[in-house]
Every structure is written in C-alpha cells, then in structure tokens.
Amino acid sequence: MNRSFSWKTVILLITLAIFMIFYPKLVDSYFLHLTVAAFLAMIMASSWDILARTGQVSVGQAGLFGIGAYTAALLYQKVHLPPVLGMLAGAIFAMIVAVFLGYLTLRLRGIYFAITTIAFAEALSVIWLMTPGVTGGAMGVSTPPLFNGNREHAYYLILVILALAIFVVWLIEKSRLNFAFTAIRENEEVANVMGINPTRYKVLAFMISAFFTGFAGGFYSHYNTYIIPYEVFGLGISIACLVMPIFGGLYTIAGPIIGTILIKAIEEYLRVTFSYGHQIAYGLILVAVVLFMPEGLLGLWKGRILPFFGRVRQ
Amino acid sequence: MKKKGVRFILGFCGMGLMLAGFLNVGSVMAQDTIKIGAVLPLSKAAFAQAGEEQRRGLLMALEEINQAGGVLGKKVELIIEDDTGEPSVGIAAAEKLLTRDKVVALIGGYSSTITFAQLNAIQRLEPFVAWVGASSTKVEHEFGPKRWFFHYHPWDYHRQSTIRDFLLTISPRPKTVAVAYEDGIYGTTSRDYVVKYLKEKGFEIVFDERFKSGSSDFTPMLTKIKKANPDVFYWVAYAGDTTLIMKQAKEIDLNLKLFLSVAINFPQYKESLGATGDYVAGVDVWIPGMKLSETIKWMEKFKKAYPGRTPEYWAPLAYTNLMTVIDAIKRAGSSEKEKLIAAMEKTDYNSPLGRLTFKKSEEGGLHQAIDEQIITQWQGGVSHVVWPANKATSKLIYPTPNWKKR
Amino acid sequence: MDWPSLFQSIANGILIAGLYAAVTLGLTLVLGVMGIVNFAHGELVMLGAYSTFWLFTLLGIDPMLSIAMSGLILFFIGLPIYRFTIRPILKDPPLNQLLLTLGISIFLQNLAMILWKTDSRSVITSYSGMSLHLEMVHIGLTRLITFLIAVVLTVFLVFFLHKARPGRAMRAVSENNTASWLIGINVQKTYLLAFGVASGLAGASGALVSTIMYTFPMVGFKLSLKAFCILILGGLGNIPGALFGSLILGLTESFVGTYVPEGSGWAEGISFILIMVILIIKPTGLAGTRRE
C-alpha cells in the first residue's frame, strides 16, 4: 500500500503551486496565451485518458468539446449567462450527452466504438451547419472577450480546472474505480464475472471525461470569442486529445501532462520552421509509440532510462 | 510512485518552458530595421493556397523595397507567422508580432473567423493594422469603425452588389435565378446578400439551397435546378466543388442562359475543366489578364520572380498591402502610429489592381480599399473581363450555347 | 409521380455505389483476412488518385488505363507498409492497431500536403462530361465506366479468392489461421499478399476517384469514413456485405439529395448518421455477423 502523502511530496506540491500562482507575473502576454492554450490541451488529454483507462478509445472528443463550446456561447448569446456559469453548463450538458451516447455505444468493442465517436462528431458538425436558426450555423457564434480581455484571470480559471482534473484523476487512481477500470480494460468478460458491470463503469468514465472536455469547450468559446462548427467539431481536436496522452504515457497522471508539454513545444518549433504539414509529426509519433514505446515516454523513462542509472524500479 | 510523477511534471514543465522560451529568443534582432509583421495561413489545407500566394506577393514587394534602399534610411524586415488555420494560434502569432517583435504594422490575414478572434484579442493594444483578409461583415461591424484598422479585401456584399449590377446590364434582362451555396460562412453570407439584392431589383429566385462543400455528387441538386429552369445559375463554392459542378452539369445536360459563380479564376480551372469551363462567368477582384498598365508591369515582375506560375489575386493584393504601408511610412516620415494612421488615410497609390484609396464602406468601415469588382468570363480558354465596361477586354457572350452545340 | 427524377436518382445512387464499393473492397479484404481495420486505407486510395493524376499529367497516360498501373504501384507500396508497421502489431490489442493505422493515415495525409500542396487536382479527358442520354435519365460516361470497372474489380477479387491458390489461402486463413498453418499454408506470406492486394485495390479505386471527382490530400479521409459506414452497414469482412452496404449508402445519399429539402447538405452527413443509428440499434451491423 503506497504512502500517499510524504513530506517531500507536500513540499514539492506547494512549491509548484506557488510557482504557478506567480507565473503570470513572470511571463509576457504572448507566452501566457501559449500557456493557457497548453493547459486547455492538458485538460483534454487528461480527460481522454480517463475513458481510455476502461479500454475505450474515443476519436470523437471534439463532439463533446463542441457541445460544451456551443452551450456556453449560445447561452450567453440568448440569455447573457455569465461566462463561467456558461462553461459549467457546457460541462454538464456534455456530461448528459455522454450518458446517453455512452449507454448506447459503449457496449461496442474498441474499433467500432472509435468509428462511432468519429461519426458522432462529424454528424454533429453537419447537423450544426444545417440548423442555423438554432445554432448559428456556418456563421458561428461570437462572445465578448473573457473577463474583458484580462488574460491573467483566464489563466487562473484554467489553472483551477486543470488542478481539479488532475485531482479527480488522482482520486480515481486511489479508489476502487482504478481497479474496476483496469479490470474492464484488461479483460471485460472476466471483469463481468467478477461482478463489475462494464457498461456502467465505462459510462461513468465517459461522464467524467465529458465534464472536463465540455468545460474546456466552454472556456475555449469565451476565450477565443468566436467559434464555428468546422473548428470546434473538427477531427484535429479529437486527434490531438489522443496523441498527447499516448505520447506521454497512458493510464498515468503525469503522462498526459508531459505529453502535452512536449507536443506543444515540438509543434511550436515545427510551425516556425516548416510551413506545411507539420502535423506529420503527430502521425510519426503515433506510429513510433505503438511500435517502439507502447507505454509512452513515461514508460520509456521508467523502463529503460531509469534502470540505466541504477535506480530501482518500483 | 506519485513522488516521481510530481518530479517529472516539474522537470518537464521546466524543460518545456525553457524550450519554448529559447524558440523565441531568436526573435530579438537588430534594432535598425523597420519591422512589419504578417500573419498568414500557411499550413491549413483549405487556406494554404491563398496564404502561399500572399507570401509570394509580400516577398516580391519586400525585395523591391529593400533593393531601393528600404524606407527612412533603414531596411525593412518582414516577419511572417503561420496561423495554421486555428484561431488560438492566430491570436498567439499576432500577439507575438506586436509584443515581442514590436512590429510597427500588422498585415496579411485571410480567414474571417481567425481575423475576428485576433482583432478581439489585440484591440486593447490599438495596433496599426492594414489587413488584407476577412470578408465577413461581422468583422466590419465590430472593427471597421476603429481608427487604427485599414482593410483591403472587398466585404461580402461587394461581390453580391457587383453581381446585381452586372445582371442589370444584360439585355434581355434575365428574370429567374437559381442560387446554390456551400454551407460554410463564405457561401452563407454570400447567399444572404445576393438574395436580398436580387429580390430588391425584381429578380425571381427559383431555387435556393445549400450544399456540403467537398461533396462528390452534385447531380441530385443539378437535376432539381434543371427542373426549375432558371435563366441564371449562380453558385458560391470553392475550387473543387466548382469543378465538379460544371462537369456534372454537362453530364446531365443542364442548359441555361448563364453560369455565374464567384471563384473561377483559380490556377487549375483550365486544367481541370478544359472546354467544359467555357462561358462561365464569375465575379473577381483581379485577374492577370487585366489591361491596366500597372497590372502589365506587375505581371512582368511576377513572371521573373516566379516563372511558370499564374498568380491569383492574393499575390498582387499582398504586394499592394506591403507597398502601401511602406508608402505611408515614407510620407509620414516616421513609423510612429499616429503619424502612420494619418498618412495611411491619405493613400493614393497606383497598384496592380487599380487606383487605391481608403474610403468609408457601407456597414461601418472607416478605411476600405477595394469596393469595386469585375466580372470575368471564360471564352475559348481565356479569361476575359466583361464588366464594367471601362475595364472590359471582351464582350459578354449571352446566352450560353447548348452543350450539344458546342 | 415524377418518374424521370426517380429514375435519375436511382441511377445516380447506383453509379456512386460503384465507386464506394471499389473503395471498400480492399478494406474488407484486410478486415476479413487479418481482422484489422485499416484506418489508413483511405490514404492508400488517395495515393492511388495522385499516382493517376501524375501519370496523366507527366506521361499523358489515360486515367482508365492507369488504373492497373496505380493498382500496381500501390501494391508495392502496401507490402513494406505491412511488413514494417502492421506485422509487428498483429497480435496486439485492437487499440494499438487503431492507433497505428491512424498514425499512418495522418502521416500520409500530411506527406501528401508537403509534396503536392493542398490544391485540388483533377484530370480531364476527351470523354469528360460526355454522357449517355437515355429516355429519362442521363448517365455520365465517366461514372458509368467507373461503375463497370468497380464491377470488374469485384469479380476479379471473388475469382481470386475462390480459384487462385493464394486467394484460397487467404480465405482459409481468415476462417482459422491455426488450422491453416497446420496444413502448410504460410500464414505470414498470405497476410502480406492480402495486404498488398488490398492496397492495390485501393490504388485502383483511387484512379477512379481522380476521374470521377478530383484529388487532394484529405480525399482519402472522407472516403474512409464512408467505407467504414459501408462496412458497418453490410457486415464486416465479407464482400457481398460490402456491395450491399455500398448500394444502400449510394442510394440513400442520392434520395436524400434529391428529395429532402436542402438535401444536398444533409446527404454528405448521411453516412455518419447511418453509422450511429445502425450501430446503436444493431451492434453487429445490418447484415451478417461481426468479425472479432
């Protein structure tokens, strides 16, 4: 049984917290923007990982993201719901959709679930375009800048949500849920026999994942002030959500975080150096990870590099 | 286990920050240049063509300017950032150019969505913006009235008012029009304006439907149009769709008096359609075949710089973009913002697109460069200007001959 | 009753189904023989389309003739793809297979963007736009030829699987690869060949795509989604199912396009809506059994 709290951990966490709180004072506006974008990506990556723990791979997170984004934006537009409440509404609505979608589709095995999620996001995109009366259609929906453009406040908001997301993942790992999720992932039939109802747990994971993804969508719509269906339901978002945790290390807390940071850094570098198709890196990363390091960077670190330095693996 | 996790997070955070920080250290450069920043879409599939074309135009202008000694005795430095077609990257790029690189002017642009997000984010800085892109009136309503915002590209309604004015000059006047449009912002806004303008002038809209851009099969839609039997078929679509629409129109023997669209002068038009593309008319900002003296001169320069290429209007537009900004700096005698704005307002420049000045535009814009467009028609494999009369290089062929008789 | 419209609709639907079927054949083969859903199949089609375009543009080879050539080119591209990326993960959990083929798909899409930019490329031939004008319907010549070639490809595949030795090996392996191995079939070689043939089919259908439509780096992805829809509609891993599914999708798209108001907008989204509806109602697909 692991000691969950040791003094070293507490001190490290407090240092980290202080650093993060003073961070906006240390960097300029442009960098702060990059950081906010990175935090948003981390939330998406971590929440994707939650569902992945049950063995279900979603390639349609954009669907939930878009729902969250539009809920927040449309509620603001129609009833002037304050942004943060709008984001919360987006999160809750995405969660509700996830429950329905989940019960209907999570019985499907891996690939077919994945295909369904892609279809889900694309179908939403089409529906959105064809119903401009309700959704604003192709013209999109715009909202005034979040917190009147005060980027620091936006930063703190997203930081809190990110911390919450990480905390939730940590709670899952510490609880019986971890056992259930892992059992389902490794062998669903056996899990069933053991008394774990796979569908119910998968839906739970999907709900939690959807909450954060939906919130991220809501935040995105207010922060960027203007959303269109093509963008928020786009496949690019769904792919990004999965490349980051896979690269960093699946089914871990640190994996999605590390994966996001490195990918964002690589992306920025490539964007500045090449004009075209720097997304090719995503493809290469996916292939490389599956072939050579299925446990992602974290797995590489623990499995190959640490022992090299003579440390004992836990 | 968890300790290691936290340490990793810290360590990688640090690494990541340092990495990204280093990437931007490089932007601190020599002080004695005039820095201009441009944000272009260079890697997103649908936008990259226009972005690349703009880049070519900008680089041409840059070389010319610096060969002539730059401006105010200093060289001009052009920093181009890629918005990758994402609003948040567009915002980051604009911010970086303004706050880190400290450019004196922000130019370029393409997508209305990204423009809107960018301007929203940077307006608190009140930067000097001479923007080529964005045609959505959403941008015009919100930012047109800002004194620091100068805009080149025609707004959506300019195209449609050109269509209306053109149709009114055809004799005998066409009575019925079928309208089809792609389901994005481009198509939808265009359709809204054109339907409004045409109805005002007594045209009857007999078909009005949107389609999904990128469809492979337009025959159901074209069959419906055939049934409606309009005089004019007007559609708003991107290059790929237009190619298919014409090919399939021929397949189902759709005959009417005029095929009219928007973007029909893209480089692969002739390649992809050949004779099937003849007689199609379209509204455009500029074509290489225009007979203005500045156009001819500019085309010479372009051919030298990029042999074998046919430019789309983004190239001379971007060229003009940079040229007029530098021209304003020259006249102002300084790159200081207020003086620059004042000088820019007085711009009167002979560009490859015609005489360029900034005027007010109908829905709130203070500084609009282009408000007049041309109608071209493909005749015998050559794109001719057929309207307005003072720019025309050929007469409109109307009505369009039957497919079987060609 | 507006008969001409109805017949034209049906004709359109059947013709486009031909193209869809051609695209789905290779996907079905790989799924049937190896049990892998190749997310990168669409990109192989895309590469076939580009190869036809370049053969036409640079060497003047008529697209209809270059079908065989594009097919061959893709066959040889498929072999190393199989050997170096697919073979290592044959025994891995489906998640890995999904991610790997997805990665290849993204890689190829972006590679195409880098090499050939993003403009749409199209081929015109002397017979582009020609059509057969029957009593009540107009049938585009290129579409008709595409349809006929799709039929030819299907017949070829069926013959191959039933009469040719390697083909029969593939069928054996798909039913039970341990038993096949036991009776002396080289399972690895069979897989390799199957993937090659599937890629070749993708290449050939790519040639059809570039004549009937136009090609650009993302064209493969859009077609993949339709192919998945067809797989799910028609039962996974069997050819009659693929044909059946293609017909359903083609006809549905055509009817929606003609009869539903604003149908052209909805028609493209039909495939996704169909996927979701069918999988929700009947997780084993509309016809036939699910392949594990």
mmCIF file of all heavy atoms in Angstrom, chain B residues 34 46 51 53 62 68-69 97 131 214 225 233 242 279 298 312 351 386 398 402:
data_model
loop_
_atom_site.group_PDB
_atom_site.id
_atom_site.type_symbol
_atom_site.label_atom_id
_atom_site.label_comp_id
_atom_site.label_asym_id
_atom_site.label_seq_id
_atom_site.Cartn_x
_atom_site.Cartn_y
_atom_site.Cartn_z
ATOM 1 N N ILE B 34 13.029 48.455 -40.028
ATOM 2 C CA ILE B 34 11.607 48.714 -39.804
ATOM 3 C C ILE B 34 10.917 47.368 -39.864
ATOM 4 O O ILE B 34 10.989 46.669 -40.869
ATOM 5 C CB ILE B 34 11.044 49.617 -40.923
ATOM 6 C CG1 ILE B 34 11.785 50.944 -40.949
ATOM 7 C CG2 ILE B 34 9.561 49.825 -40.741
ATOM 8 C CD1 ILE B 34 11.231 52.002 -40.061
ATOM 9 N N ALA B 46 -7.313 24.055 -46.528
ATOM 10 C CA ALA B 46 -8.205 24.873 -47.347
ATOM 11 C C ALA B 46 -7.662 26.275 -47.593
ATOM 12 O O ALA B 46 -8.015 26.922 -48.559
ATOM 13 C CB ALA B 46 -9.564 24.962 -46.684
ATOM 14 N N GLY B 51 -2.692 31.662 -48.698
ATOM 15 C CA GLY B 51 -1.606 32.116 -47.834
ATOM 16 C C GLY B 51 -0.283 32.138 -48.567
ATOM 17 O O GLY B 51 0.488 33.094 -48.482
ATOM 18 N N GLU B 53 0.163 32.332 -51.752
ATOM 19 C CA GLU B 53 0.118 33.356 -52.787
ATOM 20 C C GLU B 53 0.422 34.716 -52.175
ATOM 21 O O GLU B 53 1.166 35.512 -52.734
ATOM 22 C CB GLU B 53 -1.261 33.346 -53.453
ATOM 23 C CG GLU B 53 -1.274 33.983 -54.800
ATOM 24 C CD GLU B 53 -0.698 33.071 -55.887
ATOM 25 O OE1 GLU B 53 0.291 32.379 -55.628
ATOM 26 O OE2 GLU B 53 -1.227 33.104 -57.003
ATOM 27 N N LEU B 62 8.838 43.070 -50.762
ATOM 28 C CA LEU B 62 9.939 43.269 -49.828
ATOM 29 C C LEU B 62 11.254 43.460 -50.562
ATOM 30 O O LEU B 62 12.047 44.364 -50.257
ATOM 31 C CB LEU B 62 10.035 42.067 -48.879
ATOM 32 C CG LEU B 62 11.093 42.170 -47.792
ATOM 33 C CD1 LEU B 62 10.726 43.270 -46.823
ATOM 34 C CD2 LEU B 62 11.239 40.851 -47.050
ATOM 35 N N ALA B 68 15.606 49.176 -53.257
ATOM 36 C CA ALA B 68 15.600 50.624 -53.445
ATOM 37 C C ALA B 68 16.069 51.358 -52.205
ATOM 38 O O ALA B 68 15.927 52.563 -52.091
ATOM 39 C CB ALA B 68 14.189 51.068 -53.816
ATOM 40 N N GLY B 69 16.596 50.597 -51.244
ATOM 41 C CA GLY B 69 17.172 51.249 -50.066
ATOM 42 C C GLY B 69 16.291 51.231 -48.834
ATOM 43 O O GLY B 69 16.611 51.851 -47.828
ATOM 44 N N LEU B 97 3.949 39.034 -32.643
ATOM 45 C CA LEU B 97 4.472 40.056 -33.541
ATOM 46 C C LEU B 97 4.389 41.436 -32.897
ATOM 47 O O LEU B 97 5.316 42.241 -33.006
ATOM 48 C CB LEU B 97 3.689 40.045 -34.855
ATOM 49 C CG LEU B 97 3.954 38.835 -35.758
ATOM 50 C CD1 LEU B 97 2.955 38.809 -36.896
ATOM 51 C CD2 LEU B 97 5.369 38.879 -36.297
ATOM 52 N N TRP B 131 -5.087 45.262 -43.046
ATOM 53 C CA TRP B 131 -5.464 43.864 -43.179
ATOM 54 C C TRP B 131 -6.006 43.521 -44.562
ATOM 55 O O TRP B 131 -6.899 44.158 -45.076
ATOM 56 C CB TRP B 131 -6.536 43.567 -42.126
ATOM 57 C CG TRP B 131 -6.604 42.175 -41.635
ATOM 58 C CD1 TRP B 131 -7.664 41.348 -41.745
ATOM 59 C CD2 TRP B 131 -5.591 41.450 -40.930
ATOM 60 N NE1 TRP B 131 -7.395 40.135 -41.144
ATOM 61 C CE2 TRP B 131 -6.121 40.170 -40.630
ATOM 62 C CE3 TRP B 131 -4.289 41.732 -40.506
ATOM 63 C CZ2 TRP B 131 -5.402 39.195 -39.950
ATOM 64 C CZ3 TRP B 131 -3.591 40.764 -39.829
ATOM 65 C CH2 TRP B 131 -4.143 39.515 -39.561
ATOM 66 N N GLY B 214 -17.233 19.925 -50.719
ATOM 67 C CA GLY B 214 -16.489 18.690 -50.748
ATOM 68 C C GLY B 214 -17.340 17.494 -51.134
ATOM 69 O O GLY B 214 -16.866 16.367 -51.129
ATOM 70 N N ILE B 225 -32.245 21.762 -60.251
ATOM 71 C CA ILE B 225 -32.123 23.070 -60.901
ATOM 72 C C ILE B 225 -32.619 22.984 -62.331
ATOM 73 O O ILE B 225 -33.283 23.893 -62.842
ATOM 74 C CB ILE B 225 -30.660 23.549 -60.863
ATOM 75 C CG1 ILE B 225 -30.264 23.820 -59.415
ATOM 76 C CG2 ILE B 225 -30.477 24.786 -61.704
ATOM 77 C CD1 ILE B 225 -28.835 24.243 -59.249
ATOM 78 N N PHE B 233 -27.805 30.552 -63.323
ATOM 79 C CA PHE B 233 -27.475 29.691 -62.194
ATOM 80 C C PHE B 233 -26.264 30.312 -61.515
ATOM 81 O O PHE B 233 -25.193 30.416 -62.116
ATOM 82 C CB PHE B 233 -27.172 28.278 -62.675
ATOM 83 C CG PHE B 233 -26.609 27.362 -61.599
ATOM 84 C CD1 PHE B 233 -27.010 27.464 -60.269
ATOM 85 C CD2 PHE B 233 -25.690 26.366 -61.915
ATOM 86 C CE1 PHE B 233 -26.512 26.619 -59.290
ATOM 87 C CE2 PHE B 233 -25.188 25.508 -60.940
ATOM 88 C CZ PHE B 233 -25.590 25.637 -59.636
ATOM 89 N N THR B 242 -16.625 23.710 -57.598
ATOM 90 C CA THR B 242 -16.955 24.338 -58.879
ATOM 91 C C THR B 242 -16.592 23.414 -60.033
ATOM 92 O O THR B 242 -17.353 23.266 -60.988
ATOM 93 C CB THR B 242 -16.197 25.674 -59.006
ATOM 94 O OG1 THR B 242 -16.689 26.567 -58.028
ATOM 95 C CG2 THR B 242 -16.392 26.280 -60.380
ATOM 96 N N TYR B 279 -17.573 29.827 -71.146
ATOM 97 C CA TYR B 279 -18.826 30.575 -70.990
ATOM 98 C C TYR B 279 -19.228 30.805 -69.545
ATOM 99 O O TYR B 279 -20.225 31.475 -69.290
ATOM 100 C CB TYR B 279 -20.004 29.910 -71.716
ATOM 101 C CG TYR B 279 -19.716 29.675 -73.170
ATOM 102 C CD1 TYR B 279 -19.474 28.396 -73.648
ATOM 103 C CD2 TYR B 279 -19.629 30.750 -74.062
ATOM 104 C CE1 TYR B 279 -19.161 28.183 -74.979
ATOM 105 C CE2 TYR B 279 -19.322 30.540 -75.395
ATOM 106 C CZ TYR B 279 -19.083 29.246 -75.854
ATOM 107 O OH TYR B 279 -18.772 29.035 -77.165
ATOM 108 N N TRP B 298 3.342 44.827 -63.337
ATOM 109 C CA TRP B 298 3.497 43.930 -62.197
ATOM 110 C C TRP B 298 3.623 42.486 -62.651
ATOM 111 O O TRP B 298 4.410 41.719 -62.096
ATOM 112 C CB TRP B 298 2.302 44.099 -61.257
ATOM 113 C CG TRP B 298 2.441 43.316 -59.996
ATOM 114 C CD1 TRP B 298 3.068 43.701 -58.846
ATOM 115 C CD2 TRP B 298 1.971 41.991 -59.767
ATOM 116 N NE1 TRP B 298 3.005 42.704 -57.904
ATOM 117 C CE2 TRP B 298 2.341 41.634 -58.448
ATOM 118 C CE3 TRP B 298 1.273 41.064 -60.533
ATOM 119 C CZ2 TRP B 298 2.037 40.407 -57.889
ATOM 120 C CZ3 TRP B 298 0.959 39.827 -59.973
ATOM 121 C CH2 TRP B 298 1.345 39.507 -58.662
ATOM 122 N N GLU B 312 -2.884 34.256 -58.496
ATOM 123 C CA GLU B 312 -4.259 34.576 -58.113
ATOM 124 C C GLU B 312 -4.229 35.946 -57.477
ATOM 125 O O GLU B 312 -3.160 36.416 -57.104
ATOM 126 C CB GLU B 312 -4.741 33.575 -57.072
ATOM 127 C CG GLU B 312 -5.514 32.426 -57.651
ATOM 128 C CD GLU B 312 -6.149 31.603 -56.543
ATOM 129 O OE1 GLU B 312 -5.390 30.903 -55.848
ATOM 130 O OE2 GLU B 312 -7.360 31.680 -56.361
ATOM 131 N N SER B 351 -1.836 50.797 -57.893
ATOM 132 C CA SER B 351 -1.468 49.410 -57.644
ATOM 133 C C SER B 351 -1.802 48.561 -58.862
ATOM 134 O O SER B 351 -2.533 48.991 -59.744
ATOM 135 C CB SER B 351 -2.258 48.885 -56.439
ATOM 136 O OG SER B 351 -3.576 48.559 -56.853
ATOM 137 N N VAL B 386 -15.434 41.175 -68.575
ATOM 138 C CA VAL B 386 -16.566 41.575 -69.408
ATOM 139 C C VAL B 386 -17.389 42.697 -68.787
ATOM 140 O O VAL B 386 -18.341 43.187 -69.362
ATOM 141 C CB VAL B 386 -17.487 40.375 -69.731
ATOM 142 C CG1 VAL B 386 -16.737 39.356 -70.562
ATOM 143 C CG2 VAL B 386 -18.028 39.734 -68.472
ATOM 144 N N TYR B 398 -23.740 35.948 -74.302
ATOM 145 C CA TYR B 398 -25.006 35.617 -73.612
ATOM 146 C C TYR B 398 -26.075 35.505 -74.666
ATOM 147 O O TYR B 398 -26.176 36.377 -75.519
ATOM 148 C CB TYR B 398 -25.359 36.733 -72.630
ATOM 149 C CG TYR B 398 -26.654 36.528 -71.885
ATOM 150 C CD1 TYR B 398 -26.668 35.884 -70.646
ATOM 151 C CD2 TYR B 398 -27.872 36.979 -72.407
ATOM 152 C CE1 TYR B 398 -27.850 35.702 -69.955
ATOM 153 C CE2 TYR B 398 -29.055 36.798 -71.715
ATOM 154 C CZ TYR B 398 -29.042 36.161 -70.486
ATOM 155 O OH TYR B 398 -30.223 35.982 -69.805
ATOM 156 N N ASN B 402 -25.979 25.841 -76.018
ATOM 157 C CA ASN B 402 -26.297 24.495 -75.537
ATOM 158 C C ASN B 402 -25.068 23.607 -75.540
ATOM 159 O O ASN B 402 -24.215 23.734 -76.394
ATOM 160 C CB ASN B 402 -27.319 23.865 -76.481
ATOM 161 C CG ASN B 402 -28.589 23.587 -75.726
ATOM 162 O OD1 ASN B 402 -28.562 23.176 -74.590
ATOM 163 N ND2 ASN B 402 -29.713 23.865 -76.373
#
